[in-house]
Structure formats: C-alpha cells, structure tokens
Amino acid sequence: MLRELEPEPEVPMAKQKQKDRNLFTRFATFVVDKRNLFFLLYIFALIFSVFSMGWVEVENDVTTYLPETTETRQGIVAMNENFATIATGRVMVSNITVDTAEQLAEQLGKIEGVTMVTFDKTADHYRDACALFDINFSYGANDPVSLQALEAIRDLLKGYDTAIDTTVGTDMNAMLDDEMAVILVVAVVIILVVLTLTSRSYMEVPVLLMTFGAAALLNMGTNFLCGRISFISDSIAVVLQLALAIDYAIILCHRFSDERENKPAREACIAALSKAIPEISASSLTTISGLIALGFMQFGIGLDMAVVLIKSILLSLFSVFTLMPGLLMLFSPLIDKTRHKKLLPDVSFIGKFAVKVRRVLPPLFLLTLVGAFILSNSCPYCYGFNDLKTAKMTEQQHAYFEIKETFGTSNMVALVVPAGDYEAEAAILQELEAMPQVKSTMGLANIEAMDGYMLTDALTPRQLSEMIGMDYEVVELLYSAYAVDRNQYGDLLGGIDEYAVPMFDMFLFLKDEMEARNITLEGDGMEEMGSMLGQLETARQQMRTEKYSRMVIYLNLPEESDETFDFLQTIRNVTGKYYEDDYYVVGNSTSSRDLSHFFERDNLLISVLSAFFVILVLLFTFQSVGLPILLIVVIQGSIWINFSIPTLTGTPLYFLGYLIVNALQMGANIDYAIVISSHYQELKRQMPHKQAIVHAVNASFPTVFTSGTIMASAGLLIGNMSAQPVVSIMGTCIGRGTIISIILVLFVLPSILVLGDSIIERTKFRIKVMEHPVQEASGTIRVQGHVRGYISGMVDADFDGVLDGALQAEVSAGGLPEAEETEKTEETEETEKGGSEHE
C-alpha cells in the first residue's frame, strides 16, 4: 500500500499525484466519512427487522421439500387438500390390571374432544401389566378443544404411572425458539471469553458483538423475503451465522489495531478497511462455495438452507464493511485505553513437532484417510428422526421410547384411492390384511356399523329399517329423497323396495338433510342416531371426500428396511389391480424410501461440488495446483473421520445432517488451512521453509483458535441443548467435525506442507489478469507491499520504507491516497527564491 507520510520539520514534503485511485480506498473513505449516515440507516433497518421477524413463515415438515414428482409429496398434497387432519396420541398406563384398563378406556372415551379410544386385551394393547390406549382427538393438535381434552386426560390419569406420546400441545417452533435463545446466551458467554483471549484491546469485544448483532438481526428480519423457510434454517441460522461470520469482524478489527500504531484513527480505519475488503471477501468465498453446493440438492431443504445462510454471510460482510468502521471510529479512544498484552501462549512447539515428524505423520494420515473413507461409507444412515435419541429429550420423546420398549413401534401407512368404489376398497383391505407383514387395516369398507353390517354395505329400505329400528314407511321416504337428490329416477320407478344404497352414503345424506331441516326425525333412538351420525361425519372428514377415499394399514415392519420398502411396492401392486392411477401410498416409510433414493445422488453431488468450488477459489488465491489439493485432502479427511464415528459407535445418523455438515465443514473449516498456508507462503520468502512453518503455525494460532473454538462451541451447544433430533444431530456433527479439522490443521497440515513443499513450488503458475494496476506517484511517499515496475529517485526500502522520487509500478497491497498535483510549499519556494537572489 502507498500512503502519505506526516511532514517532518526538517524535510519539506510534497503532495502526491495519482492517476487511478484505488477503488477499495475510495469506498473505505466514503464509509468512514459518512459513518453517521450509515448509523442512521442501520437504526431504521434494525427497527424494521424487529417488526418483520414476525412475518416469517416456518415449515415444520421436511417432507414438503421433497420434489413434486415423488409419491410421498403428491400423496401429502392430496391428503392435506382433501382430508381433515386430526390429532392422535398413544397413552401407556403401567402397573394396572386388565379390568382397570377397560374402565379407564371407557372413561377416556367420554372426555369431550376425544372421538375414539382403542383398547383390547390383545398383546397390542396390554402386556406386562401395561395398557396402551390409542386415542383419536376431535380436532387438530393445536385446537383449543384438543388441548382441553389432553388436560382432561392428564387429570383422569393423575396418580397412575403414565407415558403420553402425542403432538397435542407441542409447539415445535416455540420450543426451538426457546432452546436457541438459551443456546445463543451461552454461546455469547463463550465467545466473550474467546474474543477476550485473542483480542488486543478489551473494548474490541463490544464492537465485534454489536457488529454481529446487527448482522444477525438483519438476517432474521429479511427471512420473510425467502417465503416459507424450514424450521432447521429458522432455528440454527443465527448461531451458524455467528460461528461462520465472526471471523470477518475479527480480521478488520486486527487490521485497525495494526494501522492504529502509527496513524490517526480516521486514516487507520480507512487503511484497515481498504486492506481487509479483499482479504475478507476471499475468506467468505470458500464458505459461500460450500453453501452453494447445498442449493443443487434435489431435496429442496438444501436450497432453503443455502439461501438463508448465504444471505446471512452477505449481510455479515455488509455489516463489517459499512457499520463496523464507524463503530471503530466511535470507540477508538476507549480501544486505545483498554489495550492489553497478548493472552494466548506461544505455540512454536507445534511447528517444531511438525518438522520433526514430517516423514512419519503424512503417511500415517494417508492410512487413516483410507480407513476413514471405508468407515464413513458404512455409516448407518436413517431417513426418519422419530427413533433418534438426543442428549436432551422432551416429555413426549421420553414417552415415545417408553412405549416403544414395551409395545414396539406402530408403523402406519395411508392408502389414498379415488372415491366411489367401495367393493374395490373392501377387496384391497381383505387381501392386504391376509398378508403376514400387515398387523391390521382400517377403512370404511371394513368398519362394522351394527349387526355384522359394514359401513359401506349396500342396504335396501327393509334391511336398514330392521337394523336401526325405524318405521319402514319413513325409511322408504328417505330412500326416495336420496334417489331424487342423486337423479336416480330409474331406480325409483323400478321399485324402491329393491333399491340398495351404501349405508355410509345414506347416513351422511340423512345427516345433511337433517341439518338443512328438510327431514325431521322423532321418536325413540333418535339421540343415539344423532351420536352415530356425528361419528360418521368425523369418519367422512378423515376417510372419505368427494374425490378420494383413505385407508389405513398398520405394518409389522420397521419404518426403514429393505423389506419394508419392498412391501410398499406390494401394496401398490395390490392397489393397481383395481385402480389404474391417481392413488398414493403415504407414510413415514414411503418418505424414508423417497429420501433414500435422493440421498445417494445428493451426497455425491454435494461432495464433488463443494470440493470443486473450494478448489477453484484456492487456485486463484494461491496460484498453485498442488497446494489446493493438499488443503482439500486434509479437510476432506476430517469429514471422513467425522462420519466414521457413527459407524464405530453404531449410532444412526440422520441423512440430512450428513449432507448439510459435509458442505459446511468443507466450506468453513478450509479457512483454517488457508490461514496457515498463507502465512507459510509469505514467510518462505524471508526464511527457510522449515523455519517458516514454525512461525506460520504460531502466527496463525490465534485466528484458528478463535474461529475454531466459536464454531465448535456453537455446534456442540446445539447438539446438547436442542431436543429436536435433526437440529441436535447437525449441531453435534458440526462441533465434532470442527474439532477434528482444528487438530488436523494444526498438527498434520504443517508436516504435509513441509514435506510437499517441492510439489507446491513446481505447480505454481501466474495469472496475468490478477496483477495489480500500475500506480503512479511522486514526492516523498511510503511504500508497503511487493513492487514491480520502475522507480526514479533515491530508494530506502525493503518493501516497507520511504521513497523520495517518482514511482510507476504495480503495488501488491492497497493503493495511493487521493492527492493533488505535486507542488512546492511556500517555505520551499522562499528558500529557492532566496538562493537564486544570493547567487
């Protein structure tokens, strides 16, 4: 960089002349000089963000991000558009007799808001002195009636040993918000300690936190622009933004401290920002590259997270470039007063160790790499998260696992078919129920109404009259009205006595006519009839619409297995005998099957793209082919080691955690390797490469320690303090992977760099288009950086010194400050004039 020197009393100083002023310097000058304007704009933007945070819509169901071509996605859309969603629950009461269980089942069924309680003496509902009640509520999980019903259930079972597994009253968004608020507070405390250890002034820490706080609030306040975002993006974005982007503020802060040693605050801030912009931008590219890879996933949640997190990175950059300079200027007096000595220890021993073991450690690492690759490919992935245990679990999760240990899982699959063909529905249910893989089935065609008749059986007026005890003449009138309503005049003229109508359709017609007051029934049994008609209406909402019928199949198979996935095709084959198309098999098993199909493709795509994008950035950064490959090998090795651990422990890993952490770890952790490699490349010009690596590791340690500790802490906090399985597993993998990356970067990478130094040097190249523009200046100027060009005048510099003359050259850092043409000072003119007169 070139900057104007303070004039000295003894030596007259000329102003500089510059033809092409540096863009970064002009931008930095504008930001620093207009800082009050930026403060005002940020105040307005932050106030807006506080209100706009409430506009964000959050999606809790990850299956909605499946491609629209998948059967699961199509089936979910069909069910959501056509059927009412009611809440269900499983209640286990331990240490009771069968008689007590039957009494409780009867009492539970009488609770307002409960439509059905299923209990029998079979092993499905009673074993080892434990009773299991399957409960259907009248309304959805968040409906006030359902919430009151759940409270009534708790009151009824007070004093019993119970486990209640239900989504009623469970607000996932509120739970995650509460968890993340606590996690963020703990993370801020850890960050305060880490930043204090690595800071040069105590007042730097509040400036860093204010900068990040503004960026985080802006990101949360602009999420509504993304439309509906996933609960994963909504919950962890702020913590990951803190872990991923705090480095940018630290870089600018340290630059300011360096410049402040010999410059006034304004000039120091301008110089620091102009130098930091390219450095920070280059650092962010690797992270953004990893996130871009997520956007190419077929599973739409990858794009959802990529958009939210990339936006968070860009807003962090914007805050560092436009808000933080003003904060540094505002607090510069306090920053100067609160400077302290270096708190982190010297770690030269790590570099010395790397030099000594350079011929041993890299080969051992390669062997470890092979083993880690094999183990990570055997990772036990899972595609549903119900069976995943987390460090912290809710009451519902504890209840789920208690019930599972006693009664096993309940794998339910819904079969959605075109409505109207009750005979086909009955045939499908009968054929499936005869198979050993099926525990039970339920549909309108196999639900008994009374006297052995099923709901969908077609009855004549005489049969219906005898079944419900209604006058035959009244039933005849009812059938006649039904035929007229359906325009079935031929059946009416042919004789109403032989006119058969499915019982379910007739009852619903009767209910609709009674509500419209077209038909009025009186007499004994009408109260019972009204109750039955209400239950039929509930059945219609859940199992039959104008367009579709829905059947429920309970399997004896786990949610995820090859046998389960094969049997899903068997269900389709049976259904295909009666329906050509427009039917869907929907459930957790079908979701897992579809997700598993996309995983292989998305896994390969993310691994290749994230590595490719990062290598591309590194090629332009280091202008070497060998060095990027060495860095990628180290970070990819840390990813494989990270995902070898689930294989060794036999712990299922949720597939989404692998995909997202794979991209994040490659994009974010590569920065640690870049820091050490950059210092090493610079120091090699001044000293032998073995000595350079020792100094490089020592100089890089504060940056790696700061960034790595924050990232690892954020991940482990999420993993141990969130009860949401997907979020928890992602946090654990991020934290564990960051720790592994730090260890490899500090202890393995230095040995690889020293041993592979010849490869790095032989594969270097020069990109002409990236050369710095020729700058011109004259007078007394200070030069910093690599200079390539022509100098006229007396030189006293070792790439950092004073030039008295003219400069026309490429300068590798910064640019010339704005200056007017060189002119002589009045004192100089008078001196020269006096000298001429003397002569």
XYZ file of all heavy atoms in Angstrom, residues 76-144:
525
model
N -49.114 -36.414 0.136
C -49.310 -35.446 1.221
C -50.174 -34.286 0.751
O -51.075 -33.832 1.462
C -47.944 -34.949 1.734
C -47.236 -36.064 2.502
C -48.121 -33.727 2.631
C -45.839 -35.705 2.939
N -49.910 -33.801 -0.463
C -50.714 -32.702 -1.009
C -52.175 -33.139 -1.145
O -53.105 -32.398 -0.781
C -50.158 -32.248 -2.371
C -51.110 -31.275 -3.041
C -48.794 -31.609 -2.191
N -52.386 -34.358 -1.653
C -53.753 -34.860 -1.826
C -54.475 -34.965 -0.490
O -55.655 -34.603 -0.368
C -53.726 -36.215 -2.528
N -53.782 -35.453 0.535
C -54.426 -35.600 1.842
C -54.678 -34.249 2.497
O -55.730 -34.019 3.104
C -53.554 -36.483 2.753
C -53.556 -37.947 2.357
S -52.963 -39.051 3.668
C -51.285 -38.468 3.891
N -53.729 -33.344 2.391
C -53.911 -32.024 3.005
C -55.059 -31.247 2.372
O -55.760 -30.500 3.043
C -52.619 -31.214 2.909
C -51.532 -31.747 3.822
O -51.808 -32.478 4.771
N -50.293 -31.393 3.530
N -55.231 -31.446 1.071
C -56.275 -30.695 0.360
C -57.652 -31.320 0.514
O -58.668 -30.653 0.314
C -55.926 -30.601 -1.125
C -54.713 -29.721 -1.422
C -54.386 -29.677 -2.906
O -54.985 -30.487 -3.663
O -53.532 -28.863 -3.297
N -57.716 -32.605 0.880
C -58.999 -33.298 0.869
C -59.460 -33.830 2.218
O -60.656 -34.063 2.404
C -58.943 -34.465 -0.120
C -58.826 -34.015 -1.561
O -59.815 -33.741 -2.217
N -57.590 -33.934 -2.063
N -58.541 -34.043 3.141
C -58.926 -34.665 4.399
C -58.611 -33.752 5.584
O -57.627 -32.999 5.553
C -58.190 -36.000 4.602
C -58.559 -37.042 3.576
C -57.762 -37.250 2.467
C -59.710 -37.797 3.713
C -58.091 -38.199 1.517
C -60.055 -38.751 2.764
C -59.242 -38.951 1.664
N -59.431 -33.847 6.604
C -59.172 -33.100 7.834
C -58.056 -33.792 8.603
O -57.999 -35.018 8.682
C -60.433 -33.041 8.688
N -57.157 -33.008 9.147
C -56.057 -33.546 9.943
C -56.441 -33.473 11.417
O -56.642 -32.384 11.966
C -54.766 -32.748 9.710
O -54.438 -32.801 8.326
C -53.624 -33.312 10.539
N -56.580 -34.631 12.042
C -56.912 -34.662 13.462
C -55.712 -35.165 14.247
O -54.840 -35.852 13.723
C -58.136 -35.550 13.746
C -57.790 -37.011 13.418
C -59.344 -35.081 12.988
C -58.780 -37.993 13.965
N -55.668 -34.805 15.508
C -54.556 -35.217 16.368
C -54.802 -36.616 16.910
O -55.950 -37.033 17.096
C -54.403 -34.224 17.517
N -53.721 -37.322 17.129
C -53.793 -38.656 17.728
C -52.815 -38.723 18.892
O -51.985 -37.827 19.071
C -53.452 -39.751 16.698
O -52.112 -39.532 16.218
C -54.429 -39.723 15.532
N -52.907 -39.780 19.652
C -51.990 -39.945 20.763
C -51.958 -41.390 21.224
O -52.897 -42.170 20.970
N -50.860 -41.767 21.865
C -50.737 -43.094 22.475
C -50.451 -42.884 23.953
O -49.498 -42.184 24.319
C -49.620 -43.893 21.815
C -49.753 -44.025 20.305
C -48.546 -44.737 19.709
N -48.621 -46.161 19.892
C -47.563 -46.982 19.842
N -46.340 -46.472 19.679
N -47.696 -48.275 19.998
N -51.276 -43.480 24.781
C -51.144 -43.317 26.229
C -50.901 -44.691 26.851
O -51.714 -45.611 26.681
C -52.416 -42.688 26.843
C -52.270 -42.574 28.352
C -52.678 -41.323 26.225
N -49.780 -44.819 27.544
C -49.466 -46.071 28.230
C -49.589 -45.860 29.736
O -49.018 -44.914 30.294
C -48.049 -46.543 27.891
C -47.709 -47.902 28.497
S -46.056 -48.497 28.027
C -45.016 -47.441 29.038
N -50.352 -46.740 30.364
C -50.503 -46.725 31.814
C -49.914 -48.020 32.348
O -50.348 -49.114 31.959
C -51.977 -46.590 32.227
C -52.095 -46.518 33.747
C -52.594 -45.346 31.589
N -48.942 -47.922 33.221
C -48.219 -49.094 33.720
C -48.761 -49.541 35.074
O -49.355 -48.751 35.825
C -46.726 -48.777 33.847
O -46.200 -48.345 32.617
N -48.523 -50.822 35.356
C -48.858 -51.423 36.665
C -50.357 -51.355 36.966
O -50.784 -50.919 38.044
C -48.072 -50.735 37.783
C -46.572 -50.787 37.566
O -46.026 -51.828 37.209
N -45.906 -49.653 37.741
N -51.187 -51.778 36.004
C -52.629 -51.854 36.223
C -53.141 -53.195 35.699
O -52.497 -53.857 34.881
C -53.394 -50.706 35.538
C -53.174 -50.734 34.020
C -52.999 -49.363 36.117
C -54.056 -49.744 33.260
N -54.325 -53.589 36.164
C -54.949 -54.828 35.705
C -55.741 -54.562 34.435
O -56.000 -53.411 34.062
C -55.887 -55.385 36.784
O -56.950 -54.440 37.000
C -55.128 -55.622 38.089
N -56.169 -55.666 33.803
C -56.971 -55.536 32.589
C -58.307 -54.864 32.893
O -58.777 -54.013 32.118
C -57.206 -56.919 31.951
C -58.147 -56.802 30.759
C -55.897 -57.536 31.502
N -58.913 -55.227 34.031
C -60.204 -54.625 34.382
C -60.070 -53.114 34.567
O -60.921 -52.340 34.096
C -60.744 -55.260 35.673
C -61.123 -56.715 35.469
O -61.365 -57.104 34.305
O -61.163 -57.456 36.469
N -59.005 -52.703 35.237
C -58.781 -51.264 35.424
C -58.564 -50.577 34.082
O -59.053 -49.465 33.836
C -57.569 -51.012 36.338
O -57.784 -51.663 37.584
C -57.353 -49.525 36.567
N -57.823 -51.248 33.197
C -57.567 -50.681 31.869
C -58.867 -50.498 31.093
O -59.068 -49.479 30.421
C -56.607 -51.575 31.093
N -59.786 -51.468 31.173
C -61.053 -51.351 30.470
C -61.885 -50.191 31.020
O -62.549 -49.465 30.279
C -61.822 -52.668 30.569
C -61.194 -53.785 29.742
C -61.951 -55.094 29.884
O -62.627 -55.283 30.924
O -61.875 -55.929 28.963
N -61.848 -50.017 32.336
C -62.575 -48.903 32.953
C -61.997 -47.559 32.495
O -62.741 -46.619 32.179
C -62.528 -49.012 34.476
C -63.263 -50.220 35.037
C -63.068 -50.370 36.534
O -62.466 -49.509 37.198
N -63.555 -51.482 37.088
N -60.656 -47.488 32.444
C -60.021 -46.249 32.006
C -60.342 -45.960 30.541
O -60.552 -44.798 30.159
C -58.506 -46.340 32.206
C -57.997 -46.287 33.649
C -56.483 -46.484 33.693
C -58.368 -44.959 34.301
N -60.380 -47.002 29.711
C -60.700 -46.812 28.297
C -62.100 -46.223 28.141
O -62.329 -45.325 27.318
C -60.600 -48.136 27.553
N -63.033 -46.730 28.942
C -64.394 -46.201 28.886
C -64.439 -44.743 29.330
O -65.118 -43.908 28.720
C -65.305 -47.054 29.767
C -66.772 -46.637 29.707
C -67.659 -47.529 30.558
O -67.142 -48.545 31.100
O -68.855 -47.215 30.689
N -63.711 -44.416 30.402
C -63.696 -43.036 30.897
C -62.999 -42.089 29.919
O -63.438 -40.947 29.728
C -63.010 -42.991 32.267
C -63.779 -43.709 33.359
C -62.997 -43.796 34.659
O -61.766 -43.685 34.664
N -63.705 -44.009 35.767
N -61.930 -42.572 29.293
C -61.230 -41.740 28.304
C -62.127 -41.432 27.118
O -62.092 -40.330 26.559
C -59.951 -42.450 27.833
C -58.790 -42.531 28.829
C -57.707 -43.481 28.313
C -58.195 -41.155 29.079
N -62.945 -42.407 26.707
C -63.825 -42.205 25.568
C -64.917 -41.186 25.815
O -65.511 -40.650 24.865
N -65.204 -40.901 27.071
C -66.257 -39.939 27.407
C -65.740 -38.506 27.493
O -66.541 -37.586 27.676
C -66.911 -40.332 28.728
C -67.662 -41.657 28.682
C -68.262 -42.002 30.042
C -69.014 -43.325 29.979
N -69.588 -43.695 31.312
N -64.435 -38.313 27.403
C -63.869 -36.965 27.507
C -64.235 -36.163 26.269
O -64.114 -36.646 25.134
C -62.333 -37.037 27.674
C -61.983 -37.656 29.032
C -61.700 -35.648 27.550
C -60.499 -37.857 29.244
N -64.699 -34.949 26.486
C -65.043 -34.083 25.365
C -63.797 -33.743 24.554
O -62.776 -33.342 25.109
C -65.685 -32.792 25.881
C -66.147 -31.872 24.773
C -66.794 -30.604 25.284
O -66.935 -30.470 26.521
O -67.161 -29.745 24.459
N -63.880 -33.921 23.264
C -62.721 -33.683 22.404
C -62.031 -34.967 21.993
O -61.101 -34.931 21.182
N -62.469 -36.118 22.556
C -61.919 -37.430 22.190
C -62.993 -38.176 21.412
O -64.103 -38.400 21.913
C -61.503 -38.240 23.434
C -61.088 -39.654 23.035
C -60.364 -37.540 24.155
N -62.683 -38.541 20.173
C -63.683 -39.212 19.337
C -63.609 -40.724 19.445
O -64.623 -41.413 19.273
C -63.498 -38.823 17.862
O -62.157 -39.148 17.456
C -63.728 -37.340 17.672
N -62.429 -41.265 19.705
C -62.308 -42.715 19.737
C -61.128 -43.138 20.606
O -60.067 -42.507 20.585
C -62.121 -43.269 18.313
C -62.091 -44.794 18.232
S -62.160 -45.422 16.534
C -60.650 -44.747 15.849
N -61.332 -44.182 21.387
C -60.272 -44.785 22.190
C -60.225 -46.266 21.834
O -61.232 -46.971 21.938
C -60.518 -44.606 23.703
C -59.435 -45.339 24.504
C -60.534 -43.127 24.071
N -59.076 -46.747 21.397
C -58.922 -48.142 21.008
C -58.149 -48.886 22.092
O -57.026 -48.506 22.443
C -58.193 -48.266 19.670
O -58.883 -47.505 18.676
C -58.094 -49.720 19.238
N -58.769 -49.933 22.630
C -58.102 -50.794 23.620
C -58.752 -52.166 23.569
O -59.978 -52.297 23.466
C -58.227 -50.225 25.035
C -57.676 -51.149 26.093
C -56.307 -51.247 26.311
C -58.526 -51.969 26.832
C -55.798 -52.125 27.263
C -58.023 -52.854 27.785
C -56.662 -52.924 27.998
N -57.929 -53.199 23.609
C -58.430 -54.565 23.720
C -57.446 -55.374 24.556
O -56.422 -54.851 25.020
C -58.644 -55.190 22.338
C -57.393 -55.109 21.478
O -56.288 -55.351 22.007
O -57.512 -54.784 20.272
N -57.763 -56.627 24.751
C -56.955 -57.473 25.632
C -55.809 -58.163 24.893
O -55.108 -58.980 25.485
C -57.853 -58.526 26.286
C -58.928 -57.940 27.187
C -59.789 -59.032 27.815
C -60.877 -58.437 28.696
N -61.736 -59.477 29.316
N -55.609 -57.816 23.632
C -54.518 -58.435 22.885
C -53.174 -57.845 23.316
O -53.105 -56.821 24.000
C -54.713 -58.229 21.379
O -54.618 -56.824 21.091
C -56.080 -58.746 20.930
N -52.095 -58.503 22.837
C -50.746 -58.032 23.185
C -50.436 -56.679 22.569
O -49.482 -56.021 22.991
C -49.707 -59.062 22.722
N -51.255 -56.270 21.597
C -51.028 -54.948 21.013
C -51.387 -53.823 21.968
O -50.918 -52.696 21.810
C -51.850 -54.798 19.723
C -51.332 -55.690 18.606
O -50.151 -56.064 18.656
O -52.124 -56.015 17.695
N -52.239 -54.134 22.958
C -52.690 -53.087 23.869
C -52.507 -53.420 25.343
O -52.704 -52.540 26.197
C -54.167 -52.768 23.617
C -54.413 -52.077 22.312
N -54.775 -52.763 21.183
C -54.332 -50.778 21.952
C -54.916 -51.916 20.170
N -54.648 -50.703 20.601
N -52.146 -54.669 25.659
C -51.916 -54.996 27.071
C -50.849 -56.081 27.186
O -50.995 -57.169 26.628
C -53.216 -55.475 27.739
C -53.061 -55.635 29.246
C -53.216 -54.554 30.102
C -52.721 -56.869 29.798
C -53.054 -54.678 31.478
C -52.549 -57.014 31.170
C -52.714 -55.911 32.003
O -52.523 -56.053 33.368
N -49.804 -55.743 27.885
C -48.743 -56.721 28.152
C -47.915 -56.242 29.342
O -47.740 -55.046 29.559
C -47.852 -56.926 26.922
C -47.058 -55.717 26.500
C -46.062 -56.048 25.399
N -46.706 -56.414 24.157
C -46.040 -56.680 23.041
N -44.716 -56.608 23.025
N -46.679 -56.992 21.927
N -47.406 -57.204 30.092
C -46.542 -56.916 31.255
C -47.167 -55.879 32.185
O -46.502 -54.957 32.667
C -45.167 -56.424 30.793
C -44.447 -57.432 29.922
O -44.676 -58.637 30.131
O -43.683 -57.011 29.035
N -48.483 -56.031 32.439
C -49.213 -55.134 33.345
C -49.233 -53.685 32.839
O -49.419 -52.754 33.618
C -48.652 -55.194 34.759
N -49.048 -53.505 31.542
C -49.085 -52.157 30.940
C -50.207 -52.121 29.904
O -50.331 -53.049 29.087
C -47.763 -51.808 30.287
S -46.364 -51.689 31.440
N -51.002 -51.057 29.951
C -52.093 -50.888 28.997
C -51.770 -49.739 28.049
O -51.284 -48.692 28.476
C -53.394 -50.607 29.732
N -52.049 -49.957 26.758
C -51.801 -48.929 25.751
C -53.126 -48.507 25.126
O -53.868 -49.342 24.594
C -50.866 -49.462 24.668
C -50.533 -48.488 23.533
C -49.774 -47.264 24.061
C -49.709 -49.168 22.440
N -53.423 -47.220 25.186
C -54.658 -46.677 24.621
C -54.317 -45.821 23.405
O -53.548 -44.862 23.518
C -55.407 -45.829 25.655
C -55.667 -46.532 26.962
C -54.833 -46.334 28.050
C -56.737 -47.404 27.101
C -55.063 -46.972 29.247
C -56.982 -48.049 28.304
C -56.142 -47.843 29.382
N -54.916 -46.178 22.243
C -54.787 -45.347 21.048
C -55.949 -44.369 21.024
O -57.120 -44.782 21.007
C -54.791 -46.208 19.786
C -53.539 -47.060 19.687
O -52.447 -46.537 19.995
O -53.656 -48.245 19.314
N -55.636 -43.077 21.022
C -56.661 -42.045 21.160
C -56.715 -41.180 19.910
O -55.681 -40.736 19.405
C -56.370 -41.162 22.396
C -56.437 -42.018 23.664
C -57.339 -39.998 22.479
C -56.092 -41.255 24.925
N -57.931 -40.965 19.416
C -58.176 -40.002 18.339
C -58.901 -38.793 18.922
O -59.942 -38.942 19.570
C -59.037 -40.620 17.238
C -58.254 -41.603 16.392
O -57.070 -41.781 16.581
N -58.940 -42.252 15.462
N -58.333 -37.617 18.672
C -58.972 -36.381 19.126
C -59.952 -35.892 18.066
O -59.917 -36.335 16.911
C -57.921 -35.313 19.415
C -57.039 -35.635 20.593
C -55.894 -36.403 20.433
C -57.357 -35.184 21.864
C -55.083 -36.703 21.509
C -56.551 -35.486 22.951
C -55.411 -36.245 22.776
N -60.784 -34.949 18.442
C -61.798 -34.439 17.516
C -61.216 -33.459 16.504
O -61.726 -33.336 15.384
C -62.926 -33.748 18.286
O -63.506 -34.631 19.215
N -60.148 -32.768 16.908
C -59.614 -31.704 16.062
C -58.080 -31.815 15.990
O -57.493 -32.797 16.434
C -60.043 -30.336 16.598
C -61.544 -30.154 16.651
C -62.243 -30.347 17.838
C -62.259 -29.797 15.512
C -63.625 -30.191 17.884
C -63.633 -29.637 15.544
C -64.312 -29.844 16.734
O -65.679 -29.689 16.774
N -57.466 -30.777 15.433
C -56.031 -30.780 15.236
C -55.244 -30.629 16.521
O -55.803 -30.407 17.609
N -53.914 -30.704 16.369
C -53.042 -30.725 17.543
C -53.055 -29.424 18.320
O -52.833 -29.423 19.535
C -51.615 -31.070 17.115
N -53.290 -28.318 17.641
C -53.238 -27.019 18.319
C -54.616 -26.421 18.575
O -54.724 -25.269 18.996
C -52.398 -26.038 17.488
C -50.952 -26.480 17.378
O -50.362 -26.947 18.338
N -50.388 -26.350 16.186
N -55.667 -27.201 18.309
C -57.022 -26.704 18.544
C -57.306 -26.640 20.052
O -56.904 -27.547 20.807
C -58.033 -27.631 17.868
C -59.422 -27.037 17.860
O -60.138 -27.180 18.869
O -59.783 -26.417 16.846
N -57.988 -25.595 20.523
C -58.286 -25.476 21.970
C -59.030 -26.677 22.542
O -58.802 -27.067 23.691
C -59.131 -24.198 22.046
C -58.730 -23.403 20.850
C -58.430 -24.399 19.785
